[in-house]
Amino acid sequence: RCADIQSACCCLAASLIEIFNWEHVSLFRIDSARDAIVRVASARSGGDGLAIDTGTVWGDYSQGIGQGILGRVVASVLPQNIPDVTLNTDYLKSPDGGPIRSELAMPIVFSEGERVRFIINVDDPRVNAFSREHVRQLKDIADEVAGAMQRISDLTLLAECVANVSD
C-alpha cells in the first residue's frame, strides 16, 4: 500500500519495470519553489533482480526546470520519445546512468490545463526502444496515476493541517 508520494513513486517505478520489462524507470517531481526537477524514486532491473532507490543508494539527482529532455516535458506538457539520445542536444546524462540510447519521458498532470507535477522517465540502452504503443500505454498509466497522486497529496496536506491545528 502506498501511503505517501515517495512510496507511490517507488511502487510505480517497480511496477512499470515488471509490466513492460524495462530496465530503468525514474519518477521526478517538479519543485517550482527551487525551479528544479528532482528525482523522487528510481528502479532498475538487472542480473541481481530489481533494485529500488529513493536517492539514498544512487544519490539524489536534480536538474534545472528548463534543462534537458525533462525540461522540455515541463515546458511543453507533452511526452518526449527520444529514439537516440546521442543525437539530441537536450539530453543530460545522469550521474548514475548506464549506457542510455533511448528515453521516454511522460508528464503527470493532475488536471487538464495544469502544469506538470511529476514525470515518468524510462531509459534504455537500445536505439528506438519505445514504440507509439509504449507512449500510448504510458500516457494512459500517467493519467490514472495522476488521480491517485493528487489524492495522496491532498490527504498529506490535510493531515499536516490537522496536526498543526491540534498543536
Side-chain angles (χ1 to χ4, degrees):
R1 194 132 210 238
C2 302
D4 59 27
I5 292 293
Q6 183 98 38
S7 60
C9 288
C10 288
C11 290
L12 178 59
S15 295
L16 289 173
I17 283 180
E18 290 177 22
I19 292 167
F20 292 100
N21 200 28
W22 288 332
E23 288 187 27
H24 187 231
V25 176
S26 298
L27 275 289
F28 292 86
R29 178 178 57 82
I30 311 311
D31 186 340
S32 299
R34 291 179 30 206
D35 282 335
I37 300 169
V38 180
R39 183 173 50 201
V40 179
S42 192
R44 183 174 290 146
S45 174
D48 55 349
L50 180 66
I52 299 173
D53 182 44
T54 58
T56 55
V57 178
W58 299 323
D60 293 329
Y61 175 81
S62 67
Q63 68 182 59
I65 207 160
Q67 296 180 310
I69 293 166
L70 300 179
R72 197 182 323 156
V73 171
V74 173
S76 68
V77 195
L78 294 171
Q80 299 294 310
N81 183 0
I82 311 301
D84 188 348
V85 296
T86 64
L87 303 177
N88 192 294
T89 57
D90 287 335
Y91 176 69
L92 299 176
K93 182 173 174 45
S94 69
D96 63 306
I100 296 168
R101 292 299 298 273
S102 295
E103 183 169 356
L104 174 56
M106 182 65 61
I108 296 177
V109 180
F110 287 176
S111 61
E112 190 68 34
E114 195 180 50
R115 66 182 173 86
V116 176
R117 299 295 187 104
F118 293 87
I119 298 172
I120 302 169
N121 192 70
V122 187
D123 47 55
D124 194 279
R126 299 168 295 156
V127 174
N128 286 322
F130 307 110
S131 67
R132 286 187 186 127
E133 184 62 13
H134 286 131
V135 174
R136 187 196 64 73
Q137 290 172 331
L138 195 56
K139 169 82 171 98
D140 290 346
I141 290 168
D143 290 345
E144 290 297 319
V145 166
M149 291 176 100
Q150 183 171 17
R151 286 187 294 280
I152 292 169
S153 292
D154 291 347
L155 289 172
T156 302
L157 179 62
L158 184 60
E160 289 172 4
C161 290
V162 168
N164 288 335
V165 167
S166 62
D167 284 345

